[in-house]
Amino acid sequence: MTNTATQIRPPEAQTGQDEFAQAVLDGLQSTPKAIPSKFFYDTKGSHLFEQICELEEYYPTRVELGILEAHAPDIAAIAGPDTTLVEFGSGAGVKVRLLLDALDAPRAYVPIDISRDHLLASSAQLNADYPDLSILPVHADFATPFDMPRMASSNVVGFFPGSTIGNLTAGEAEDFLHSAAETLGKGAGMVIGVDLIKDRDVLRAAYDDRKGVTAAFNLNLLERINRDLNGTFDLSHFTHKALFNETESRIEMHIEATQAQTVTVAGRPISFEKGERIHTENSHKYTVPGFSALAGRAGWSLRAVWTDENDWFAVLYLQRLDG
Ligand SMILES: C[S@@+](CC[C@H](N)C(=O)[O-])C[C@H]1O[C@@H](n2cnc3c(N)ncnc32)[C@H](O)[C@@H]1O
């Protein structure tokens, strides 16, 4: 089946302004303050993330692309012909091209993303570049139940690159993998990118680059609140913080108040002490055995694993245990 760009109109997801307002108000009125990282990705946030992917310090994109380039034929050999590829958090749709080029007659591509404009733009671009492929974008939060398009192919493979799984806690990652097994169906495979534990300085630099792009990405959340929720954040009174939490084996990103202040959000006053933080993102780092044990608890077995020469990043091929 061939798509035209005008057919690429995914239905509106339930992730609207009300959900954003509720999450921000709940998060800013909790102790400690926290806002889920999925709200980074408005249109500006999605573009800033693409700039992060180009940074020298941000090794995950470069290293994962290298692994995919080297092993796309191995992945394609396991996946087999006539595959429907379902990508969770598809972003700019760059990495999937390596798989689409290697797969034997892929049937369809289902990109799922919370960032609607970005999803539409990358789907239209892929549609132009792969005119014989059926492209079925889904605007949804992949961590909550959502409607999938009917998939004609029985050979379904999930794709979850970018170490996005690391943004979830271990419990959330297990729940996600459980529901992804349901979504993809019996016999499904899953290609997943996982960032590995490594030198702490390398990790910290990846989330606190010299050009300040990650800081802009983090602080854009306050701009989004100002714009969408009538917020009064003065961005010059807040700063970006990235730290490695050894107990949880994760990088954490926070926004820290540089002075005591009160702002309003949707008409509600929110007070900050000097040095108080909003926790905005986790990026969990795994070992291959640790992650494959987690996947095993969620109904997946490890079929293959590829890493780079430094063991900084792993791409795993998981197989649904009943398939
Ligand atoms: C870390 S980026 C990875 C992008 C791309 N897959 C890559 O590997 O470069 C995370 C992507 O997932 C999307 N995303 C984050 N949380 C999401 C959620 N809960 N549901 C759907 N998409 C989400 C973001 O909009 C963004 O495109």
Side-chain angles (χ1 to χ4, degrees):
M1 190 187 1
T2 303
N3 269 331
T4 65
T6 50
Q7 286 174 294
I8 297 180
R9 299 302 305 180
E12 282 289 350
Q14 301 307 309
T15 51
Q17 289 301 84
D18 289 353
E19 192 204 343
F20 182 48
Q22 196 60 52
V24 168
L25 287 173
D26 287 351
L28 292 181
Q29 293 176 114
S30 316
T31 310
K33 294 176 168 61
I35 298 175
S37 62
K38 66 182 178 184
F39 295 114
F40 279 141
Y41 297 95
D42 61 355
T43 301
K44 182 173 172 190
S46 297
H47 286 298
L48 283 166
F49 182 73
E50 279 181 45
Q51 289 175 36
I52 289 174
C53 292
E54 307 275 312
L55 293 168
E56 198 187 320
E57 295 99 325
Y58 196 72
Y59 64 85
T61 304
R62 194 174 55 249
V63 175
E64 187 181 33
L65 274 171
I67 298 171
L68 289 172
E69 256 157 23
H71 297 289
D74 305 322
I75 293 170
I78 300 176
D82 200 28
T83 297
T84 290
L85 206 53
V86 177
E87 182 169 358
F88 299 91
S90 49
V94 172
K95 292 169 190 164
V96 73
R97 289 164 184 263
L98 296 170
L99 299 193
L100 291 173
D101 291 344
L103 283 166
D104 179 6
R107 169 153 323 193
Y109 172 54
V110 182
I112 303 166
D113 207 286
I114 205 165
S115 184
R116 186 177 166 87
D117 291 347
H118 206 55
L119 175 68
L120 287 173
S122 64
S123 297
Q125 191 55 56
L126 277 159
N127 187 66
D129 296 342
Y130 295 85
D132 296 328
L133 186 71
S134 182
I135 298 180
L136 307 166
V138 175
H139 176 224
D141 178 344
F142 56 58
T144 60
F146 60 90
D147 292 332
M148 280 286 286
R150 209 174 58 78
M151 291 183 283
S153 155
S154 57
N155 184 17
V156 179
V157 177
F159 185 41
F160 198 21
S163 183
T164 306
I165 189 115
N167 296 149
L168 308 178
T169 61
E172 290 166 345
E174 211 175 305
D175 289 347
F176 167 79
L177 287 173
H178 254 299
S179 61
E182 290 294 310
T183 304
L184 299 174
K186 210 165 185 304
M190 169 85 103
V191 177
I192 188 161
V194 176
D195 199 13
L196 301 178
I197 296 170
K198 61 184 66 61
D199 181 88
R200 306 300 182 254
D201 290 339
V202 174
L203 282 172
R204 273 187 292 266
Y207 295 84
D208 196 5
D209 63 278
R210 279 164 300 184
K211 288 186 183 156
V213 184
T214 316
F217 174 71
N218 197 7
L219 291 166
N220 178 54
L221 192 52
L222 302 187
E223 278 184 46
R224 182 176 182 186
I225 295 171
N226 283 351
R227 185 190 63 226
D228 293 351
L229 305 178
N230 267 329
T232 61
F233 282 101
D234 179 340
L235 269 62
S236 66
H237 296 161
F238 290 88
T239 187
H240 164 71
K241 281 269 171 252
L243 54 96
F244 189 74
N245 179 330
E246 293 286 346
T247 314
E248 303 290 343
S249 188
R250 69 189 185 203
I251 285 281
E252 295 179 1
M253 294 209 315
H254 298 257
I255 295 173
E256 185 173 295
T258 53
Q259 59 182 65
Q261 58 200 292
T262 299
V263 301
T264 56
V265 174
R268 306 264 185 95
I270 309 284
S271 295
F272 287 85
E273 289 172 16
K274 183 176 179 193
E276 191 176 351
R277 294 173 179 169
I278 311 170
H279 187 170
T280 51
E281 189 178 68
N282 291 318
S283 187
H284 291 82
K285 308 302 169 190
Y286 288 96
T287 60
V288 171
F291 188 81
S292 50
L294 184 155
R297 292 193 294 276
W300 297 88
S301 67
L302 179 62
R303 185 140 175 203
V305 57
W306 302 278
T307 59
D308 57 293
E309 57 186 5
N310 298 313
D311 282 337
W312 277 8
F313 201 94
V315 174
L316 282 66
Y317 199 113
L318 305 176
Q319 193 74 49
R320 227 181 92 145
L321 274 170
D322 60 3

